[in-house]
Amino acid sequence: MHFSAIGRVPGDPILGLIDAYNQDSNPNKFDLGVGVYKDANGLTPILQSVKQAEQRLVDQQQTKTYIGGHGDSRFGQLISELVLGTDSPLLAAKRAGATQTPGGTGALRLVADFIAHCLPERGIWLSDPTWPIHESIFAEAGLKVGHYPYVGRDNTLNVAAMLHALENVPQGDVVLLHACCHNPTGFDLSQDDWLQVLDVVRRRELLPLIDFAYQGFGDGLEEDAWSTRLFVSELPEVLITSSCSKNFGLYRERVGALIVCANDAEKLTDVRSQLAYLARNLWSNPPDHGAAVVATILGDAQLKAQWTAEVEAMRSRIAQLRSGLVEALTPFGLAERFAHINQQRGMFSYTGLSTEQVQVLREKHSVYMVGSGRANMAGVDVTRLELLAKAIAQVCQH
Ligand code: LMR
């Protein structure tokens, strides 16, 4: 038999939770697993701005012909402006360009192939911990994957250890940095920390790859772009992977971009020719619909204003849930132990709960979170904060 030697691999550590949660019949279950935004009713609704843009597309779209290897050029321009700023000198100098990809994950896959193909022998360095799919995407593309310390066993951000490790990364290697809302920990670098990282990256001649999947979920759409804009203004070459899954709520439509910043327009054209070649071999043309929705929104002042307000509403709701959970934990004497939840940013919190505690939470209390102790704060139900706090308190006492 051809398949007889093929074994089984474990299910995805994040997506596997969707099935487990759906199969749980406990009406009081909590879904703090996969990173999707949920509203006060526990739903992941389609944004109003998206609905309106979709209606326009249904009414006005004339064709379903191919959109080309780099995708929709209007989307490319508008997403680059969202990430780099509307007045970005790089865009004016044609030093930056976007390739539309199936989600931020597609952008990561494309950049992994780009490094393997065009910059052979370069290793890639990931934060420890990082999003588990970073590990497998780069390893599967054949890159040598290394790690720099980020959040230690004591569940605190260790910038000194990170900087020390980066000093020892071989010259020319790629360093993946999370622009904001670090996944899985929620611990972000301060502006001062970013300046220090920039200094090492510049001195060691490292190539930064900035993963920007949560723009708008940390401190705001513009605020969250600060680190990315700093790097592109100070360095000649930067790679950026951007996702529209969370901030446009377009998860299943698969919308993202790989933005390349090169030293000059000529070199950008060379790099983009390679990306078109690699993308052709991966998915040929990217899917159109979600990117067309994003372009419709960002290209229309009224829709953009509506969308901006919707992102801000999601962002502030998550921030409120953070403080709400810490408050709910206070009567159990756990306010100090979980004070970090208020310092973290974005969807995720590294709670500091152990794998065993996560297991007990799941089995005894139907609270679903990733085995690493990562909780999706957007999945916390504001009407059941006490119940969640009680469950957490019970596992902490054992
Ligand atoms: C997550 O980390 O939960 C999200 O980014 C969803 C995913 O694709 O894993």
Side-chain angles (χ1 to χ4, degrees):
M1 285 297 172
H2 295 294
F3 299 157
S4 52
I6 300 175
R8 216 174 275 187
V9 292
D12 186 86
I14 298 172
L15 296 182
L17 289 171
I18 298 176
D19 287 340
Y21 174 81
N22 286 342
Q23 278 159 23
D24 190 329
S25 57
N26 182 350
N28 267 322
K29 58 189 177 179
F30 287 90
D31 179 10
L32 313 184
V34 64
V36 293
Y37 176 80
K38 293 187 183 213
D39 67 11
N41 302 314
L43 301 172
T44 304
I46 301 173
L47 300 186
Q48 285 304 314
S49 49
V50 168
K51 269 283 183 208
Q52 286 193 32
E54 288 189 308
Q55 194 56 57
R56 275 191 210 178
L57 288 171
V58 167
D59 294 342
Q60 294 167 12
Q61 204 170 42
Q62 301 287 347
T63 181
K64 294 284 184 192
T65 188
Y66 296 120
I67 49 174
H70 291 291
D72 177 343
S73 57
R74 206 157 146 262
F75 166 80
Q77 176 66 25
L78 291 163
I79 196 74
S80 300
E81 287 176 9
L82 184 69
V83 169
L84 303 174
T86 39
D87 54 355
S88 165
L90 277 91
L91 291 173
K94 302 207 179 318
R95 280 185 48 212
T99 298
Q100 182 188 321
T101 56
T105 310
L108 287 160
R109 176 63 217 219
L110 180 61
V111 83
D113 273 13
F114 169 71
I115 297 163
H117 191 77
C118 298
L119 302 169
E121 308 305 320
R122 310 282 186 108
I124 183 153
W125 296 79
L126 310 176
S127 64
D128 178 17
T130 194
W131 186 47
I133 320 307
H134 283 150
E135 307 277 357
S136 51
I137 282 182
F138 293 105
E140 290 292 345
L143 301 189
K144 208 168 124 207
V145 178
H147 297 92
Y148 58 86
Y150 193 74
V151 168
R153 279 173 192 277
D154 59 352
N155 204 24
T156 60
L157 177 62
N158 192 340
V159 181
M162 172 184 180
L163 291 168
H164 179 73
L166 291 182
E167 291 285 358
N168 294 301
V169 167
Q171 187 184 15
D173 271 10
V174 183
V175 178
L176 188 146
L177 302 159
H178 298 229
C180 66
C181 309
H182 184 268
N183 181 5
T185 67
F187 285 110
D188 282 347
L189 299 174
S190 69
Q191 293 196 349
D192 190 49
D193 299 334
W194 275 108
L195 289 167
Q196 295 192 66
V197 172
L198 171 66
D199 177 54
V200 186
V201 166
R202 186 171 16 217
R203 270 189 297 103
R204 304 280 314 146
E205 293 178 28
L206 308 177
L207 175 59
L209 164 56
I210 302 183
D211 191 7
F212 202 2
Y214 295 87
Q215 186 172 4
F217 276 54
D219 292 318
L221 284 164
E222 290 296 306
E223 292 85 344
D224 291 349
W226 185 86
S227 55
T228 305
R229 293 178 191 173
L230 170 75
F231 269 56
V232 303
S233 69
E234 295 286 328
L235 298 169
E237 297 168 320
V238 179
L239 300 164
I240 305 159
T241 49
S242 160
S243 170
C244 301
S245 295
K246 325 285 167 166
N247 51 12
F248 286 86
L250 282 166
Y251 311 91
R252 66 170 68 164
E253 298 295 352
R254 312 310 297 141
V255 197
L258 170 59
I259 301 173
V260 176
C261 304
N263 199 26
D264 57 50
E266 196 58 21
K267 192 44 67 187
L268 180 67
T269 307
D270 293 340
V271 171
R272 283 172 63 76
S273 72
Q274 299 282 350
L275 297 180
Y277 167 78
L278 294 167
R280 175 67 159 149
N281 287 284
L282 285 169
W283 49 71
S284 186
N285 284 234
D288 170 67
H289 180 72
V293 167
V294 170
T296 304
I297 293 171
L298 295 179
D300 179 286
Q302 178 258 321
L303 282 181
K304 187 174 178 188
Q306 188 179 358
W307 169 73
T308 304
E310 289 184 288
V311 176
E312 181 52 26
M314 291 192 280
R315 191 194 71 78
S316 58
R317 188 178 128 75
I318 298 172
Q320 279 165 18
L321 289 169
R322 286 184 178 280
S323 51
L325 181 57
V326 176
E327 240 169 73
L329 287 161
T330 306
F332 299 98
L334 293 171
E336 205 174 313
R337 171 159 175 189
F338 288 99
H340 55 266
I341 292 178
N342 275 327
Q343 283 138 32
Q344 295 160 332
R345 286 279 173 284
M347 258 185 184
F348 302 120
S349 168
Y350 234 29
T351 55
L353 294 169
S354 69
T355 313
E356 294 72 36
Q357 287 170 324
V358 169
Q359 190 71 18
V360 177
L361 269 175
R362 180 170 156 176
E363 279 162 13
K364 292 232 169 83
H365 305 276
S366 296
V367 177
Y368 289 78
M369 61 174 84
V370 182
S372 59
R374 186 196 85 170
N376 172 19
M377 295 308 297
V380 170
D381 177 354
V382 74
T383 63
R384 293 187 295 138
L385 280 171
E386 265 169 52
L387 192 63
L388 179 61
K390 200 167 152 198
I392 293 173
Q394 276 187 18
V395 301
C396 287
Q397 274 148 18
H398 289 102

